[in-house]
Structures are given as C-alpha cells and as structure tokens.
C-alpha cells in the first residue's frame, strides 16, 4: 500500500496514568506508533494491557482519575495532547472517529437512530436537518443496512447486535474521518457477522483512504486485516512491525507465546501452548522487564532494567533483553 | 395497547372496590354506624329516616351492597357540619389541593433534576457534596415546621408574603385557580415551597444516582467521541435517560403530595381537601372523611395509570415489550 | 404511590441485599471494620454523637432539667411567654423562654424529646419484629401465602403513611400508646418487603438446604439461619425509619391527633406556639423545631453512612 511521507496519525511517547487511591497505574507507558493514509494498524494485547486506554487517550477521552501525563498525539501534524477541549471536540467524530467494543452499549437506548446520527453531522457541519438526515441514510446504506430510510426512525433496541455495530460504524464514517480508532468492535459479535464487518471495514477504509487503528486481542483478526501490528504488554509496545514478519518470525517471547496459544487446524492433537501466569496488575508491575515473571527466556538482567527499544531489522521494533532466536549469552 | 389499557382499568376498578369494602369495614363495622353516620343533633324521626335510607337495620352484607351502590352513584353521605353532600364538598375543595400539589411537583422536578444532575456530574466537588448534604436536610425538615419557619421569616419578620389562606382566584374553564393573579401566586408560593422541599430532596437523590450510573455508560462516551458539545451530551443523552426513573417515582409521588398537603394546608390555612380532612376529623364529620378517602383512592389509581402510560412514552424499550406480549 | 420515605426511596435505588458481601478483609472482625469505615465520615460520627447525647439527656431527663414540665403545680402562669434568657422566680433562668402556661421551654423540649424518641424507637422495634416475621414466612413458604401477604404489603405501601396514621388515629383517639400502634401499622410493611426480598435470595443458597437436610426445625432454619443473613438492609431501613417515625409522630401531634395535651411531645409544643408566632413570640415554636430537626438530621446522617457501607454496589 502506498505510503505518504507524513503519517496521518503519529503517537509519540504517549503516557497515560490513573491516579487511584491504591497508587498510580501507568496504563500507557511511552507508547509510540504511526499510521499512514489507507493503512490498517493492529494494536494487540491482553485485557488490561492498556490498548483501549491508548485509543481513548488519542481522542482525549480519558476520564478522571486517568490523565495523559506525557507524549504527543499528532493528527495530520496537529498535537492533540496540547489542543484545548473545544478544538478536540471539533476534531472528534470529524477528523478522527472511534468505534467501541460493545454495540449493545454504544447507542443511546432512548434516542432514535436518526437523532443520534443527525446530531453527529450537525456537530461539525452547518447543514440543515434534511441534509444531515440524507447523509445519515447514505451512511447506513454504505455499511449494508437494508431499508435505511425506515431504519432511521427506529430505536437501538430494534436492531440486532451486528446491526447496531454497523450503525456505530456508519456514525464513525459519517463525516469521512482521516483516522478511525476501532476498539475491539467485533469481539462481542458472532463469528460470521464478525467476518462480514471486518470485510466491510477493510473495503470502506480502503476506498476512502481512512487510516484504521484496530485494537484487538485476536491475532487471527490482525493477520487477516492489518498491514502492521503493535503488540502491547503492560502499557508498553513490546514488539511492532509488518504483520507478516511479526507473526511469522516473532522476536519477543510474549508475541511468540500469543501466537502459540492460538488454536490451529495444522496442529491438531498437539496441546496448546500457554503463557504461564496472569497479566500483572498495573499497580504492582515487576521491576525491570514487566514480562519477566512469565517469560521462558528471563535472565537475571531482565530484573535489573527495562529493555530499551531497538530495531532488529528495518520497520520493526523490539523491547527485549533476550529475544526469541537469539543465542543466550 | 388497548388491551393493556382495558386490563389496567379493570384492575383499577377492582382496587377501588376493595378499598371501598375496607372503608366500609373501618367506618361501619368498628363502632356503631348509627353514631358514626347520623348527626348527634338529628331528632328521632330524622334518625329513623336515615337508618331506613342507609338500611342500617338490614344484614351486614346487604348494607355493604347498599354502600357500594350508593358510592357508585356518587352518594357518599351528607356532611353533618355543612349539611351538603360530602362528595360535593370534596369536589369544591379539590382544585385548590391539586393546584398546590401540581405546582409543588413542578418545583420539585425542575429544581431537583437540575441539582441532582449537577451533583451527579461532580460527585466529589464541594458543590456536589453540599447538594447531597442539603438533600439530607431536606429529608429531615418536618414539613409543618418548615412551613412555620417560612411564615416566621417571610410573613412575620420580613412581611413580604401573606401567612396563609388562598389569594385572589380567577375562573379558568370553570375551575378556580390562583395561578393567574399576583395575589394568588403570592399566597401559593410559601405552601408550594413547603410541600415541594421533601420531594425535591428525593428527586435530587434519584437524579444524582441516575446521572452517576449513566455517565459511566459507553453511549455517553460514544456521544463525546462524536464531538458533541457537553451541553448536548448532558441535556439530551444523559438527561433523557435519568428522566425515566425520576418521572416514574415522582409521578407516583404526586399521590403522596396530595396526602402531605394535609399538613401544609393546615399550616397555611389553605382551603383544600387536606384542611377539610383535618377539620372533619376534629369535628367528627365522618361522611366527609369517608368521601375524602374514596376520592383519594380514586385519584391515586388515576395517577398510577397515568404514570404507567407516561413511562411507556419515555422508554421506547417498554413499548416494544408490550407490543411483543 | 410509594411512601415518601428517605430510607425506602433511596433504598429502592441502592439496596441490593442479595450480594451483601463484606469488603476484602483488612481487620479481623467485620464489626470492627464497619466501625472503622463508619468513622471515616465526619458528618456520620457527628450524627452518632448527637444521637448519644440526646438519648442520654432524654433518659435522664428528670435529673438534668430544672423543671418537670408535666407537673402543673411547678408551672407559674405569671411566667407565661417569657422570651429566652428571662430570669425565673423558681430557679435560675429560662434559657429558651417559656410557653403560655409558664412552662420552661428547655425542660419541655427535653421531655418532648423523651416522648419522641420513645415513640420512634418502640414503634420501629415492634414494626421490625412483626415485619421481619411476615417477610420470612412469606419467603420461606412461598405460594399462595406469599402472594396474599405481599398483596397486603403492596396495598399498604401504596398509601402514604401520614394518611394511614391520620385515619387510624381518627378512629383510635389520642394517646402515646395509640400513636405507637398506628406507627407500627404503617411501618411493618417496609420490613416485610425488604426481608422477603433478601430472604428469597438467601433461601436458594445451599446453606439453607444444608440446614433443612440436617433436620433442623423450621423455626430454627428461619430465625437461626435465614434471618441473620437478611440483616444488613434491615439495619439501614430501621435506622432511617426511626427518624421517619419521630417526624411522623411530631406531624401527627402537630395536627392534634397524636399525643395528649398533658404530655406534650415536640410536635405538640410547636403546635402550641403556632398562634404566638404571628405576634413575634417565635421561641415557643422555634426551639422545639430545632431540637426535632437536629435529632432527625443526626439519625439520617448515620443512616446514610450505614447505607453506603452496607451496600455492595457503591463499593469500588
């Protein structure tokens, strides 16, 4: 896919922390990545790895006690971290949109679909209601909702889960944003619906050149959809690179563990590999490398200091003292 | 919808009959009905006539039947004190009470929702906490004492507002109301505030609890992610959701407002049915007490029905579940 | 038409008895932990302190007040409606003034509090016992008995307490005992409903089956095993209901259908001062009202805190 020099969205050393009574949780701890026009970036991690908070941080939607404490989010060159609330509001839903995980919860149950779509258009464009409604209808048609005109007057509860997620996607697409952040939008859906929606998102973003950040815990989804992938663990990106390279030749033991725990037809009868232990609490991360307590390659130096980011090959990054496939010294 | 309405009306009629039977037992079976229903000043012939008319010499079940038949025809007895049919007395006084209760309800709803929303959005801010502490005070101030203190401050010390009574009224579609004269409003203000305070505290709590729950919902975050202004998010997305529990509870509270008007009306000498009830209890004017009870039960049932309908209007999900059933 | 009661109205929103688990253990005894958490709220502690002081004052009233306000021989009509701070011929000073019969308001208020608290706590205790028993029986036996009892509760609760109490007292007549009976009648249904709600949930849990399998008697299972597990929401309701009962008694007495004129409670004192208020002699109504409000606020503050602590849904 063609890449322009300046990425649409560039996240630099983003840090978001939650100031709770029990202590400070570093949910996002120095995350950097970029997405170009028309590109799909997969952001992969277990629950609690900070991937959703990263998404909310980009839009400036982190609620107290959470706060962005450092780094930059550059959308088409403009730093959103420094932008005021008014400016952020003008960009949200307009240049950068978000799709949430649970379609049953993202639409307001007491407002009709047209109300919820028209307000999204009119928040950013000075068009009349009829024009806004027309755009809403077109957007519903584009995401494959039959009889969009009639469906506009329906309430969310009259839609199935898959249809609701299509409505949410239609709302995200309404103002033709440059970037869409999709936070596990297919996790709550049936597998067949999931495939349809994945296919349509890919098509719609490809057509319009919208950059897509797809947050998921599902490597299978990433392998089919994304151009590049970032693997997150405990608030940090531990490995990133082109999706084929990372999935075929993982360097970080955590990535390798994730891949090993995906059931596969080719390995029937072989017990699934697991990553031992549990995701650590963000309030009590192990010192040094946060993964070392679960890592098969861990050595004494892993506890000493967190591994710095390095570039094992072009287009890839890695944070590990003892990567897979490197001789242990 | 029609089927639902008919079923609800049937249920309501049943409750009304049950209440009538209870009232009958309460008034007729406890103590001597002759003493209760016939004025002590009536002469012997008059007594005999009434006994015959009410059938007090017949078996109990027959009396019950007569009472019910009379009640259906609107005959709930004659006031000893005023010498007019008790029901007519109640109906004459009813508009004053309804006016007071409705104004208080509007005050409680508007002030309560606004403050509760505020406290729910900023639960840890000083103002949010003050609103909550204030609502405890609102719960705790006894209605009658609050009324007295308002009279003391605004009528006795400052002399800004009248201490009691109903002001000048105008006829609107045959109903006397004090809402359209300055004098009427000035008389209405203190009693309405007194009656509203308790419900205001209740609405504040409901609205705050609702707000705190709703703001955590994904759809509120999604609304913000659409780039909507905070006022649109709060006054459309949040408010519409918290109004469902608030309207349900407060609608039902209109009934208890009418009951609590007994106290407020006594303090402010407001000529409604509440004051009539107290006067009738003190004067042993039992037919009026019976008529008051039956009328109150009737109003409660109507309110219940209206709230149910309103609820299905506010919450689209309810309408569907009924259509599906 | 739910009854306008702070306990129930907010309780209906928050009280979720089925999941009443203690928070993660930090101290050995759950009671000690509750006490510690309770003390974290300053208004609640202040409320508790006020309740204790008022309760002690009410219990030892004859020992601490200068005058027995019910003993007409001690009253001097010449001392009638004196403003606060006036000197008395019989004893020091009328700090809060006197009423029309020359009664020292301070003494009258302490005695009035005595009646108010007596009526409040006794009526709540009886209502609690009766209501809990009915609720337990309904939940345990279920079926037609359950429907019948709960239908009675529903009808009862659909009428405002003030109205029911007013009508009952109109039939019964004046008297402290009659006020208590009326208050028990209007309050029992709250407990019945709350206990039935949590008992229905507890009933399905295995320890009840285990107790039944052990061959324990019905009464033992009901009161020894089921009831203790339904207690936390009851404690909250009972606390707030004491405040409610005190307010209701005052209101009824104010309306002239409560306690007899010979034993004035706070409500009656306020009613007696009503007519004098118009001529600026505010103290006869004002001070008893302040005492009443202080007591009710204090109880509500404690109840509010207890509700927060005993309600798992508010624990983060």
């Amino acid at each position: 896919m063609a890449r322009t020099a300046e990425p649409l969205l560039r996240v630099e050393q983003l840090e978001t922390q939650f100031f709770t009574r029990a202590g400070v949780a570093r949910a996002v701890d120095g995350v950097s990545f970029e997405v170009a026009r028309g590109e799909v970036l997969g952001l992969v991690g277990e629950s609690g790895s900070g991937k959703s908070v990263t998404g909310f941080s980009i839009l400036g939607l982190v609620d107290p006690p959470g706060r962005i404490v450092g780094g930059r989010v550059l959308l088409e060159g403009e730093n959103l971290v420094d932008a005021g609330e008014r400016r952020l509001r003008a960009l949200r839903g307009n240049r950068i949109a978000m799709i949430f995980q649970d379609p049953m919860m993202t639409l307001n149950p007491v407002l009709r679909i047209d109300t919820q779509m028209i307000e999204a258009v009119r928040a950013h464009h000075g068009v009349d209601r009829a024009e806004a409604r027309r755009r809403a209808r077109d957007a519903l048609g584009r995401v494959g909702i039959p009889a969009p005109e009639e469906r506009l007057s329906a309430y969310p509860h009259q839609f199935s889960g898959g249809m609701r997620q299509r409505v949410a996607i239609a709302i995200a697409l309404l103002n033709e944003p440059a970037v869409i952040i999709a936070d596990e939008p297919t996790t709550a859906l049936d597998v067949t619906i999931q495939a349809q929606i994945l296919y349509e998102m890919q098509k719609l973003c490809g057509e319009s050149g919208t950059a897509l950040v797809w947050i998921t815990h599902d490597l299978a989804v990433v392998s089919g959809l994304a151009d590049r992938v970032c693997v997150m663990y405990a608030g940090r990106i531990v490995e990133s690179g082109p999706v084929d390279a990372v999935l075929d030749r993982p360097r970080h033991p955590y990535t390798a563990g994730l891949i090993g725990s995906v059931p596969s037809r080719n390995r029937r009868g072989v017990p699934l590999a697991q990553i031992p232990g549990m995701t650590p609490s963000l309030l009590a991360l192990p010192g040094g490398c946060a993964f070392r307590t679960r890592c098969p390659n861990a050595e004494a130096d892993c506890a000493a200091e967190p591994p710095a980011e390095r570039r094992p090959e072009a287009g890839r990054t890695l944070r590990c003292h003892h990567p897979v496939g490197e001789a242990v010294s | 919808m029609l089927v639902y309405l008919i079923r609800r009306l049937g249920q309501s009629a049943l409750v009304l009959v049950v209440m009538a039977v209870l009232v009958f037992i309460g008034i007729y079976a406890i103590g001597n009905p002759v003493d209760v229903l016939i004025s002590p000043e009536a002469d012997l012939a008059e007594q005999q006539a009434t006994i015959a008319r009410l059938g007090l010499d017949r078996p109990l079940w027959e009396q019950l039947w007569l009472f019910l038949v009379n009640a259906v025809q609107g005959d709930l007895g004659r006031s000893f004190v005023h010498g007019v049919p008790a029901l007519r007395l109640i109906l004459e006084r009813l508009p004053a009470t309804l006016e007071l209760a409705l104004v208080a309800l509007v005050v409680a709803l508007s002030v309560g929702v606004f403050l509760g929303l505020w406290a729910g959005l900023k639960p840890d801010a000083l103002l949010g906490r003050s609103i909550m502490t204030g609502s405890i005070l609102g719960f705790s101030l006894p209605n009658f004492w609050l009324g007295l203190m308002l009279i003391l401050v605004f009528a006795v010390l400052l002399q800004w507002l009248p201490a009691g009574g109903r002001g000048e009224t105008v006829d609107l579609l045959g109903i006397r109301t004090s809402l359209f004269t300055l004098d009427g409003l000035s008389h209405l203000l203190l009693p309405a505030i007194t009656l509203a305070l308790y419900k205001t505290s209740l609405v504040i709590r409901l609205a705050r609890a609702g707000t705190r729950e709703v703001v955590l919902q994904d759809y509120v975050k999604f609304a913000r992610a659409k780039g909507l202004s905070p006022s649109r998010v709060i006054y459309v997305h949040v408010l519409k959701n918290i109004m469902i529990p608030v309207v349900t509870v407060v609608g039902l509270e209109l009934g208890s407002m009418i009951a609590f008007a007994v106290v407020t009306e006594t303090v402010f000498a407001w000529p409604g049915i509440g004051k009539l009830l107290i006067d009738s209890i003190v004067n042993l004017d039992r037919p009026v007490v019976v008529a008051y009870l039956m009328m109150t039960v009737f109003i409660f049932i109507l309110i219940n029905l209206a709230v149910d309908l309103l609820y299905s209007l506010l919450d689209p999900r309810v309408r569907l579940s009924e259509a599906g059933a | 038409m739910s009854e306008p009661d702070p306990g129930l109205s907010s309780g209906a929103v928050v009280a979720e008895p089925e999941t009443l688990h203690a928070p993660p253990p930090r101290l050995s005894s759950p009671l000690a932990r509750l006490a510690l958490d309770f003390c974290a709220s300053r208004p609640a502690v202040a409320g508790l302190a006020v309740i204790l002081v008022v309760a002690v004052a009410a219990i030892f009233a004859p020992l601490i007040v200068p005058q027995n306000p019910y003993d007409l021989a001690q009253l001097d009509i010449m001392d009638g409606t004196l403003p606060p701070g006036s000197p008395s011929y019989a004893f020091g000073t009328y700090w809060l003034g006197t009423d029309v019969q020359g009664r020292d308001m301070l003494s009258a208020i302490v005695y009035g509090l005595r009646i108010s608290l007596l009526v409040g706590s006794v009526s709540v205790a009886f209502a609690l016992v009766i209501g809990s028993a009915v609720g337990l029986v309904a939940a345990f036996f279920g079926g037609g008995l359950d429907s019948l009892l709960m239908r009675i509760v529903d009808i009862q609760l659909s009428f405002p307490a003030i109205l029911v109490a007013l009508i009952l007292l109109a039939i019964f007549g004046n008297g402290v005992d009659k006020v208590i009976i009326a208050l028990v009648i209007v309050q029992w249904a709250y407990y019945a409903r709350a206990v039935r709600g949590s008992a229905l949930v507890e009933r399905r849990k295995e320890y009840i089956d285990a107790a039944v399998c052990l061959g324990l008697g019905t009464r033992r299972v009901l009161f020894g095993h089921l009831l203790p597990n339904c207690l936390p929401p009851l404690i909250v309701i009972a606390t707030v209901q004491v405040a409610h009962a005190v307010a209701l008694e005052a209101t009824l007495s104010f309306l002239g259908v409560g306690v007899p004129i010979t034993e004035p409670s706070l409500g009656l004192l306020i009613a007696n001062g009503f007519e004098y208020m118009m001529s600026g002699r505010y103290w006869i109504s004002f001070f008893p009202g302040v005492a009443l409000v202080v007591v009710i606020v204090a109880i509500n503050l404690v109840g509010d805190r207890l509700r927060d602590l005993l309600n798992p849904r508010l624990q983060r």
Side-chain angles (χ1 to χ4, degrees):
Chain A
M1 211 159 286
R3 296 220 188 138
T4 49
E6 180 62 27
L8 280 178
L9 176 72
R10 185 207 288 273
V11 175
E12 288 175 356
Q13 293 300 320
L14 186 65
E15 280 183 59
T16 302
Q17 302 182 349
F18 285 79
F19 299 86
T20 68
R21 253 200 295 181
V24 177
R26 300 163 175 275
V28 180
D29 195 6
V31 163
S32 304
F33 59 80
E34 52 186 63
V35 209
R37 195 179 143 75
E39 191 182 33
V40 179
L41 176 80
L43 195 58
V44 183
E46 293 170 281
S47 19
S49 62
K51 54 191 197 307
S52 292
V53 179
T54 306
F56 288 126
S57 302
I58 292 170
L59 272 86
L61 283 178
V62 182
D63 288 322
R67 188 147 50 84
I68 299 176
V69 295
R72 299 203 296 170
V73 174
L74 298 168
L75 177 71
E76 299 175 307
E78 180 179 2
N79 185 1
L80 302 187
V81 173
D82 291 342
E85 182 58 30
R86 181 178 287 271
R87 177 66 189 146
L88 272 177
R89 222 160 56 221
L91 293 171
R92 275 186 215 135
N94 190 17
R95 299 306 298 153
I96 182 163
M98 189 155 178
I99 304 168
F100 289 31
Q101 177 171 356
D102 188 351
M104 310 309 270
M105 306 298 294
T106 38
L107 297 173
N108 195 321
V110 299
L111 299 178
R112 295 196 327 200
I113 299 297
D114 55 357
T115 313
Q116 301 192 45
M117 295 188 79
I118 289 170
E119 66 179 6
V121 175
R122 282 163 57 94
H124 302 291
H125 301 282
V127 296
D128 60 12
R129 289 187 58 84
E131 168 62 15
R133 198 184 154 88
R134 200 185 56 73
R135 290 190 194 181
R137 191 191 57 211
D138 292 349
L140 284 187
R142 242 180 294 152
V143 295
I145 288 184
E149 183 58 46
E150 288 95 272
R151 300 307 261 163
L152 268 181
S153 326
Y155 283 96
H157 66 84
Q158 293 164 315
F159 289 81
S160 68
M163 281 295 164
R164 285 195 216 188
Q165 197 59 292
R166 283 167 201 263
V167 172
I169 292 170
I171 291 176
L173 290 170
L174 262 180
N175 296 313
E176 288 160 2
V179 180
I180 293 182
I181 315 269
D183 185 7
E184 307 210 38
T186 57
T187 309
L189 303 176
D190 289 346
V191 182
T192 47
I193 312 264
Q194 190 173 339
Q196 287 173 16
I197 289 193
L198 281 177
Y199 169 74
E200 273 159 26
M201 280 302 283
Q202 207 170 17
K203 190 171 68 113
L204 290 166
C205 291
E207 283 167 4
S208 58
T210 305
L212 188 58
V213 177
W214 194 278
I215 298 171
T216 182
H217 64 270
D218 190 344
L219 278 176
V221 168
V222 167
S223 70
L225 178 75
D227 301 310
R228 284 189 308 121
V229 59
C230 294
V231 179
M232 271 190 92
Y233 187 82
R236 291 185 182 155
I237 292 182
V238 292
E239 181 165 17
S240 74
V243 74
D244 294 339
V246 172
L247 294 190
D248 289 349
R249 285 173 287 114
R251 301 300 308 278
H252 198 283
Y254 177 63
T255 317
L258 277 184
I259 294 168
S261 56
V262 175
S264 157
R265 209 171 34 175
N266 303 332
R267 285 180 293 167
R268 284 185 58 165
V270 178
L272 279 177
Q274 318 175 12
I275 303 174
M278 308 220 305
T279 323
S281 159
L282 287 172
L283 289 169
L285 286 180
C289 173
F291 188 60
R292 68 183 164 83
T293 50
R294 304 169 70 188
C295 181
N297 296 5
E299 301 278 329
D301 57 339
C302 294
E305 57 179 289
E309 186 177 288
R310 52 173 165 148
R311 301 183 176 275
E313 54 194 86
R316 289 185 71 166
T317 67
L318 180 65
R319 278 177 192 269
C320 184
H321 290 305
H322 304 286
V324 178
E326 225 168 71
V328 180
S329 53
Chain B
M1 196 66 189
L2 192 68
V3 176
Y4 172 76
L5 205 64
I6 290 171
R7 203 175 62 219
R8 277 305 308 267
L9 284 173
Q11 282 171 0
S12 308
L14 191 71
V15 173
L16 203 57
V17 170
V18 169
M19 283 313 297
V21 172
L22 282 180
V23 169
F24 173 84
I25 293 169
I27 301 294
Y28 283 63
I30 300 173
N32 185 355
V34 181
D35 294 346
V36 173
L37 290 165
I38 300 170
S39 166
E41 281 110 51
D43 57 34
L44 202 65
E46 213 175 310
Q47 279 191 25
Q48 295 297 341
T50 316
I51 288 176
R53 186 169 61 83
L54 295 176
L56 294 181
D57 44 356
R58 306 209 199 135
L60 197 67
W61 64 268
E62 218 172 306
Q63 289 184 40
L64 173 63
W65 177 248
L66 255 175
F67 171 79
L68 290 179
V69 168
N70 283 339
V72 167
Q73 290 165 347
D75 179 8
L76 292 168
R78 228 163 220 286
S79 162
F80 305 151
V81 177
H82 303 270
V84 296
L87 191 64
R88 202 174 93 200
L89 209 54
I90 298 281
L91 288 176
E92 271 172 17
R93 304 284 198 99
L94 190 59
T97 297
L98 288 182
E99 177 180 276
L100 180 62
L102 283 174
V103 170
L105 192 71
V106 169
V107 170
L109 255 183
S110 44
V111 176
V113 166
F114 182 75
L115 291 181
L117 194 62
W118 226 97
L121 290 174
K122 308 246 178 231
D124 297 320
L126 185 65
L127 189 62
R129 286 152 75 128
S130 312
I131 290 172
M132 284 318 283
T133 311
S135 83
I136 292 184
L137 200 66
F139 272 134
S140 307
L141 279 180
N143 211 281
F144 67 96
W145 193 69
L146 172 71
L148 289 183
M149 288 307 110
L150 288 178
I151 291 177
L152 179 65
V153 173
F154 292 100
V156 178
L157 297 180
L158 297 173
Q159 305 209 328
W160 287 352
L161 292 164
R166 198 176 184 205
E168 196 185 318
T169 58
V170 287
D171 266 27
L172 186 79
L173 304 173
I175 296 167
R176 285 172 57 206
T177 170
S178 47
L179 286 176
F180 301 102
T181 65
L182 202 61
D183 184 52
L185 283 176
S186 72
H187 280 83
L188 185 59
L189 189 62
L190 291 185
I193 290 176
T194 306
L195 193 54
L197 186 80
Y198 191 96
K199 300 298 173 218
T200 309
S201 304
L202 178 71
V203 175
I204 287 177
R205 302 208 135 207
L206 282 172
R208 175 177 177 269
T211 306
R212 287 189 70 179
E213 224 169 285
V214 169
V215 290
L216 296 177
Q217 301 293 321
D218 271 359
Y219 56 75
V220 171
K221 209 162 194 172
F222 190 64
R224 287 167 62 204
K226 288 195 290 193
L228 303 183
S229 65
S231 62
R232 172 103 193 157
V233 174
I234 292 169
Y235 294 114
V236 177
H237 285 261
V238 176
L239 189 63
K240 192 132 193 234
N241 275 284
I242 64 168
M243 283 317 277
I244 293 172
V246 168
V247 164
T248 315
V249 173
V250 169
L252 298 177
E253 293 287 336
L254 181 61
S256 84
M257 282 239 183
I258 291 172
F260 258 92
V262 170
V263 181
T264 314
E265 286 177 8
T266 306
V267 173
F268 288 95
W270 185 263
I273 55 172
K275 181 146 179 18
L276 182 67
L277 175 70
I278 295 294
D279 292 346
S280 304
I281 289 176
V282 172
N283 297 329
L284 297 177
D285 198 352
R286 304 250 166 123
V288 180
V289 176
V290 172
Y292 174 91
L293 278 178
M294 294 308 294
M295 179 55 81
T296 318
V297 172
F298 182 67
I299 293 175
F300 279 18
I301 288 171
L302 277 188
I303 292 171
N304 250 331
L305 199 61
V307 167
D308 273 10
L309 296 179
L310 195 61
Y311 184 68
S312 69
L313 275 182
L314 267 178
D315 192 339
R317 288 163 294 187
V318 171
R319 207 184 303 161
L320 183 86
S321 64
E322 264 166 33
Chain C
M1 286 145 290
S2 76
E3 153 62 20
D5 152 62
L8 253 279
S9 46
S10 30
V13 182
V14 291
E16 191 96 318
E18 61 263 38
T19 44
L20 276 160
H21 300 297
R26 268 176 284 155
L27 274 171
S28 50
S29 140
L31 216 58
R33 196 169 56 234
L34 186 70
L36 204 72
D37 283 345
F38 183 88
C39 292
S41 161
R42 254 181 296 171
V45 173
L48 192 62
V50 168
I51 293 172
L52 288 179
V53 168
V54 170
V56 167
I59 291 167
F60 299 104
L63 303 177
I64 55 172
V65 297
Q67 187 190 62
N68 179 355
Y70 301 158
D71 183 1
L72 293 175
Q74 290 190 26
L75 306 183
D76 188 346
I77 200 92
M78 299 302 286
D79 279 356
T81 63
L82 292 176
S86 301
S88 156
Y89 295 109
F91 55 90
T93 312
Y94 294 124
W95 290 112
L96 299 182
T98 62
D99 72 0
V100 67
Q101 291 167 294
R103 192 179 273 133
D104 174 38
M105 285 314 294
L106 181 63
S107 311
I109 287 170
V110 176
Y111 269 76
L113 276 172
R114 216 177 178 197
I115 294 183
S116 296
L117 289 179
L118 177 81
V119 170
S121 45
V122 171
S123 69
V124 164
F126 275 106
L128 180 70
V129 170
I130 296 171
S132 310
V134 171
L136 274 183
V137 166
F140 193 77
F141 294 104
L145 183 66
D146 182 29
S147 329
L148 177 72
L149 290 173
M150 283 309 118
R151 189 43 57 92
I152 295 174
V153 165
D154 283 346
I155 291 180
Q156 162 99 57
L157 288 184
S158 70
F159 288 92
I162 178 86
L163 205 57
V164 178
L166 206 54
I167 299 302
L168 288 173
L169 286 172
I171 297 173
F172 296 160
N174 281 356
V176 173
D177 49 342
K178 285 157 189 150
V179 173
I180 291 178
I181 294 173
L183 288 182
V184 171
I185 293 176
V186 298
Q187 289 183 92
W188 71 275
Y190 294 124
Y191 303 101
R193 190 154 73 177
V195 167
R196 176 180 172 271
S198 35
L200 273 184
V201 176
E202 295 293 329
R203 169 88 184 80
R204 282 188 226 108
K205 295 194 178 160
E206 285 174 7
Y207 70 93
I208 297 296
D209 289 338
V212 174
C213 288
L214 281 174
L216 297 183
T218 305
R219 198 181 307 160
R220 179 87 185 275
V221 175
L222 273 180
F223 296 100
H225 294 254
L226 205 47
L227 185 60
N229 287 290
C230 305
L231 275 181
L234 275 189
I235 296 171
V236 176
I237 298 179
T239 313
V240 183
Q241 281 294 333
V242 173
H244 192 221
V246 168
L248 203 53
E249 182 277 324
T251 305
L252 292 168
S253 298
F254 173 80
L255 292 174
V257 293
V259 299
I261 200 131
T262 48
E263 292 170 82
S265 71
L266 293 175
L268 199 54
L269 287 173
I270 295 170
N272 289 342
F274 189 15
E275 53 186 301
Y276 300 97
M277 206 181 68
M278 296 300 180
S279 52
R281 282 170 282 187
Y282 65 92
W283 56 89
I284 309 175
S285 279
F286 181 73
F287 291 117
V290 171
L292 185 63
V293 171
V294 166
V295 168
I296 296 173
V297 170
I299 299 174
N300 278 339
L301 283 173
V302 171
D304 217 48
R305 183 67 189 155
L306 284 179
R307 174 160 47 227
D308 284 353
L309 292 181
L310 294 175
N311 174 14
R313 265 177 52 179
L314 285 182
Q315 281 164 8
R316 294 274 163 100

